[in-house]
Amino acid sequence: MVNDALILEIFGEDNLHHFYSQREIIDERIDKLQELSDLRKRASDVFKVNLTFPDIAVSVGGGVLLGLGNSLFKDFIHIKSINNGKINWKNTFDSYKHEHEVSKTIIDAKPPKISGLNIKDNLHRQLGPQHDIFRFKETLDLLTGKKSDYDIWDSTATKIIGHPLSPLGQKYTDFIVSGGFNIPGDPKMELLNHLLIDFFSKHSLPLPGSTYIADKSPEFAKIMTSMYDKGLNLKNTAGNFLGFLLVQIILHGYTFLFKAIPQSEFSLTNISLDSTKSLINTYMNLIKKNEFHIMMMMSHSSSFLVDSIITLSTKSYAGLFQLNYLSLMAFSKHLLQYLIKNVSEYNKLIEEAKSKATEINGLDLIWCNNFNNAFNKNLYDTNFLSILDSDDLIESSRKVQSITNDIKNNVQREKELLKQIKE
């Protein structure tokens, strides 16, 4: 085994120091190359999603079922009439025409005409207070006869129409002959029953408070009535919101019960402040992961797709405002969160990888500079140059040859002496 003293004598202290310094640079470069490889691997896995079969089943299955329920609620569930407090639901195979227990009430009074817009079917509900649940008291006063008019378009309905209020589909003269509006024995209950029946009809009720906007001016009335005609009503909005809310509850509940609890230190048999904090932190981290965003996107997109297919294919389809844009917005929200989070992390890792590559390049330059400096130092060393000098080479060769000849002469003399001794 070669000892350190011999190595030091052969190579010299400066050369050994240079060698170990260069070796340290190479070792550091190897470490940084591994770090660079790890950064690239992490960057390539940023968009990765690991979903289990239960994750997919809960997301897609829940979305499909809720989309189906939402579409049925909007398009197939109707109340035909309410008699003495008993609700008569519409039979699926019957032609639908709802009936009110007390007919010819001021609730369905003809509203003022909107220039350029034909008020037909049940679009009259978007004008006046009668079908706006936020204006229940105002409608009740009309129904009981306390009031016979309402404010609209900086005037009143009767002034714009040119005569007192009258029912839709009946001439004013015939209406007067028939005795005017009927006043129910229980106005409050009749109004509640009327609104409930209308809620489940095709056009349902206007959004609460939206009649205030429509009653501001004919221009606003035209906009609001057109949107109402295309499906922007209370039933569709309530159904869409309920479907959206249930999707949120199902996926958040699934994540909390079947993922956060098993992965945290929480235990029902040993509840503590620390275990509760662990559960909350685990849950908050889970809902920020790629898997949760993808589950939300799958569920909301499934719900929206099923709801839209059924809604668009039914006779009750009113217009694009009938579709569940809340689920579509939730899908877009989670898609953006998924992309923003991962693109940001990907860019950060790539920047770190570039910085690491720059460090490696710097080490290469240092190694090369050190090598060049050492080479130049040895190249101009007098001991090294003497090897390349021709006169020194000849003199050295002569000395070697002389020593060799002396050795040969000594050997020859020894042989002769030995021979003489033997004789």
Side-chain angles (χ1 to χ4, degrees):
M1 183 174 182
V2 182
N3 59 46
D4 293 341
L6 182 57
I7 294 175
L8 187 62
E9 182 181 353
I10 294 172
F11 295 102
E13 184 177 354
D14 290 342
N15 288 330
L16 282 176
H17 177 74
H18 172 73
F19 171 79
Y20 288 125
S21 176
Q22 292 292 82
R23 184 63 203 177
E24 287 177 0
I25 293 175
I26 292 174
D27 290 341
E28 186 178 357
R29 185 179 186 276
I30 291 172
D31 292 339
K32 289 188 179 296
L33 281 172
Q34 183 59 50
E35 292 174 7
L36 177 61
S37 177
D38 293 341
L39 286 170
R40 287 175 174 171
K41 177 67 168 59
R42 287 170 58 192
S44 65
D45 291 342
V46 161
F47 293 92
K48 191 175 181 180
V49 178
N50 294 315
L51 291 177
T52 63
F53 177 76
D55 294 339
I56 298 172
V58 170
S59 303
V60 177
V64 169
L65 289 176
L66 291 173
L68 179 63
N70 190 21
S71 61
L72 293 177
F73 171 77
K74 291 189 294 186
D75 297 322
F76 294 95
I77 299 177
H78 297 285
I79 294 177
K80 190 171 185 179
S81 64
I82 300 178
N83 296 313
N84 297 320
K86 182 181 179 182
I87 297 177
N88 299 313
W89 296 94
K90 166 191 172 288
N91 188 297
T92 305
F93 302 101
D94 288 345
S95 58
Y96 173 64
K97 185 176 181 181
H98 66 261
E99 303 168 354
H100 297 292
E101 187 171 1
V102 179
S103 60
K104 206 176 67 172
T105 64
I106 201 169
I107 300 174
D108 286 327
K110 184 189 301 181
K113 291 183 178 180
I114 304 174
S115 178
L117 186 68
N118 182 24
I119 299 296
K120 57 183 179 179
D121 298 326
N122 294 316
L123 301 186
H124 66 282
R125 298 174 186 167
Q126 183 61 67
L127 298 176
Q130 296 97 309
H131 293 88
D132 191 329
I133 61 175
F134 277 8
R135 303 172 74 175
F136 188 89
K137 177 64 170 58
E138 191 177 347
T139 304
L140 197 60
D141 288 342
L142 290 170
L143 190 58
T144 57
K146 289 182 180 180
K147 292 183 179 179
S148 59
D149 201 0
Y150 56 86
D151 295 332
I152 185 172
W153 304 342
D154 295 327
S155 183
T156 64
T158 57
K159 288 180 180 179
I160 296 172
I161 296 172
H163 57 70
L165 298 177
S166 61
L168 284 165
Q170 187 176 20
K171 291 182 178 180
Y172 178 69
T173 52
D174 296 336
F175 167 65
I176 294 300
V177 172
S178 66
F181 288 117
N182 293 322
I183 297 178
D186 189 347
K188 183 179 292 186
M189 185 56 65
E190 174 59 26
L191 178 55
L192 288 172
N193 290 345
H194 190 113
L195 294 177
L196 182 60
I197 292 173
D198 286 356
F199 173 80
F200 284 101
S201 63
K202 176 180 177 179
H203 283 94
S204 188
L205 301 174
L207 293 179
S210 64
T211 59
Y212 287 118
I213 301 174
D215 290 357
K216 284 292 182 182
S217 69
E219 291 74 21
F220 281 134
K222 189 172 183 179
I223 293 172
M224 295 305 300
T225 306
S226 297
M227 293 171 66
Y228 178 65
D229 187 29
K230 298 299 181 183
L232 185 64
N233 58 56
L234 183 57
K235 182 177 68 171
N236 292 336
T237 303
N240 291 338
F241 179 76
L242 182 61
F244 162 81
L245 187 62
L246 288 175
V247 168
Q248 298 290 114
I249 291 173
I250 288 173
L251 291 188
H252 278 276
Y254 170 77
T255 302
F256 186 84
L257 294 173
F258 296 96
K259 289 180 176 290
I261 291 179
Q263 293 180 24
S264 69
E265 301 172 359
F266 182 81
S267 174
L268 289 174
T269 58
N270 187 22
I271 299 176
S272 65
L273 181 61
D274 290 338
S275 65
T276 303
K277 286 182 178 179
S278 173
L279 174 61
I280 294 173
N281 290 334
T282 303
Y283 169 70
M284 295 305 294
N285 289 330
L286 284 171
I287 62 176
K288 294 176 183 177
K289 289 185 175 293
N290 290 348
E291 288 74 17
F292 183 78
H293 291 307
I294 296 298
M295 287 172 62
M296 277 293 186
M297 284 189 276
M298 288 194 299
S299 193
H300 280 293
S301 61
S302 300
S303 176
F304 179 80
L305 181 62
V306 172
D307 178 28
S308 298
I309 290 174
I310 297 176
T311 300
L312 292 170
S313 61
T314 60
K315 293 180 179 180
S316 296
Y317 173 65
L320 291 177
F321 285 105
Q322 196 168 347
L323 303 182
N324 191 354
Y325 293 107
L326 284 174
S327 283
L328 194 59
M329 289 171 64
F331 172 87
S332 302
K333 169 182 171 285
H334 285 282
L335 176 61
L336 284 174
Q337 287 180 320
Y338 169 78
L339 292 175
I340 291 171
K341 167 184 171 291
N342 292 324
V343 167
S344 175
E345 186 175 351
Y346 178 83
N347 290 336
K348 180 182 177 182
L349 291 171
I350 291 300
E351 286 300 319
E352 290 182 18
K354 288 180 180 178
S355 176
K356 197 65 64 178
T358 301
E359 292 177 15
I360 293 171
N361 185 56
L363 290 175
D364 291 340
L365 292 175
I366 292 172
W367 191 93
C368 289
N369 288 333
N370 290 346
F371 178 84
N372 289 333
N373 292 335
F375 182 81
N376 290 331
K377 179 181 178 182
N378 287 313
L379 181 63
Y380 295 104
D381 187 89
T382 55
N383 293 326
F384 179 77
L385 290 174
S386 66
I387 299 173
L388 305 177
D389 187 87
S390 59
D391 292 337
D392 286 345
L393 284 174
I394 293 171
E395 180 62 24
S396 297
S397 179
R398 186 189 64 76
K399 290 179 179 180
V400 171
Q401 186 63 43
S402 175
I403 294 171
T404 303
N405 290 336
D406 290 342
I407 293 173
K408 286 182 179 180
N409 290 334
N410 290 334
V411 172
Q412 185 63 32
R413 287 174 61 190
E414 289 177 358
K415 286 182 178 180
E416 291 176 354
L417 289 172
L418 287 173
K419 184 177 180 182
Q420 292 176 1
I421 291 171
K422 287 180 181 180
E423 292 178 349

